[in-house]
Amino acid sequence: DMLGYETGDKLLKYWADEINKGLREGELFCRVSADNVTTLTYYEDEEALWNAFEEMDAILKNYPGFKEQDFRPELVSGVYILDDEDIKSPNINAIMDKANIAKKSVKALTGSKMALYSESMREKQLRELEISQHLEEGLRKKEFYIVLQPQYNYSTNEIVSAEALVRWEHSDLGAIYPDEFIPLLERAGLITELDKYVWEEACKF
């Protein structure tokens, strides 16, 4: 958007050439879409993976076409390490999905970053999907409620006010805490609905 499609194409070609230079026999890579590239590479140990990521990040940042603009591209990578079952009976879609889950876990962070896939990442994603399906229903059914955190005046030894905090008790999922549901409401564009609801409940109280 900033520098034009021709510049983007040149960067992609540079990136493809640099990845290709670093491939060993039996390794391969492909461009999946836009600026998303997948590499199948031999696994030695985690340290080697991190070193390889840092080397590729440095190569990307040194792209000569951006020197005049002082523009530094960022590299975001998700890694899934194949196990014996994957090698015996590979399911490419499942392998790619797991690498993508790892990538998404760090994509929102600033700067270049890499993450190794773990089952906890997948469990978190499934939990988020499950919660997301109940957001509108939870607001409609008024399953959200406020709790009050007191504000204390040490000079007079009195509680002088309170901060209204929101909680969610779902009939099937049980207690869901703000660190789980607030980001999902923001992503779904429903956070203002919760703001209005909490404001109204606090005023009623």
Side-chain angles (χ1 to χ4, degrees):
D1 287 346
M2 290 170 59
L3 304 172
Y5 285 106
E6 187 180 348
T7 302
D9 288 344
K10 285 178 181 175
L11 174 62
L12 288 172
K13 288 173 184 175
Y14 165 83
W15 186 227
D17 287 342
E18 291 300 326
I19 295 173
N20 202 36
K21 282 180 199 172
L23 291 184
R24 295 168 291 186
E25 189 177 349
E27 297 179 332
L28 56 86
F29 82 99
C30 68
R31 176 179 171 226
V32 180
S33 62
D35 59 353
N36 296 303
V37 174
T38 294
T39 307
L40 185 64
T41 183
Y42 289 114
Y43 168 65
E44 290 147 15
D45 54 38
E46 283 190 21
E47 186 179 359
L49 285 172
W50 285 102
N51 290 340
F53 171 78
E54 287 169 5
E55 285 170 17
M56 294 310 289
D57 183 43
I59 289 168
L60 184 61
K61 282 184 168 50
N62 287 327
Y63 173 56
F66 286 157
K67 282 185 178 171
E68 289 180 16
Q69 288 96 347
D70 193 27
F71 188 82
R72 291 167 68 82
E74 294 177 352
L75 178 62
V76 182
S77 182
V79 176
Y80 173 65
I81 297 169
L82 277 65
D83 58 25
D84 292 339
E85 191 58 37
D86 294 317
I87 293 165
K88 273 191 286 184
S89 179
N91 181 329
I92 298 300
N93 287 330
I95 289 166
M96 292 276 287
D97 284 345
K98 289 175 181 178
N100 269 321
I101 288 170
K103 184 180 78 171
K104 285 176 183 175
S105 74
V106 291
K107 194 170 183 182
L109 305 175
T110 56
S112 293
K113 50 261 161 188
M114 183 182 92
L116 300 180
Y117 173 83
S118 68
E119 276 301 309
S120 62
M121 289 177 181
R122 183 171 175 275
E123 287 162 12
K124 184 184 176 192
Q125 187 184 61
L126 292 173
R127 167 85 172 164
E128 286 180 354
L129 284 169
E130 189 174 31
I131 293 171
S132 295
Q133 291 171 352
H134 299 281
L135 291 172
E136 290 188 62
E137 182 187 30
L139 286 166
R140 192 174 64 251
K141 289 185 174 179
K142 299 193 172 181
E143 293 175 342
F144 294 87
Y145 64 95
I146 62 168
V147 294
L148 300 177
Q149 178 167 289
Q151 307 290 306
Y152 191 75
N153 186 328
Y154 284 97
S155 302
T156 62
N157 292 323
E158 291 177 316
I159 293 172
V160 292
S161 63
E163 180 183 3
L165 306 174
V166 65
R167 298 290 182 266
W168 183 10
E169 186 68 34
H170 189 271
S171 53
D172 296 324
L173 302 177
I176 306 171
Y177 292 97
D179 63 336
E180 284 192 294
F181 66 75
I182 296 279
L184 298 178
L185 282 164
E186 287 173 342
R187 223 178 290 163
L190 295 169
I191 195 67
T192 53
E193 296 302 313
L194 182 66
D195 286 341
K196 287 182 211 168
Y197 176 76
V198 171
W199 176 253
E200 188 175 339
E201 291 300 302
C203 290
K204 280 180 189 174
F205 182 82

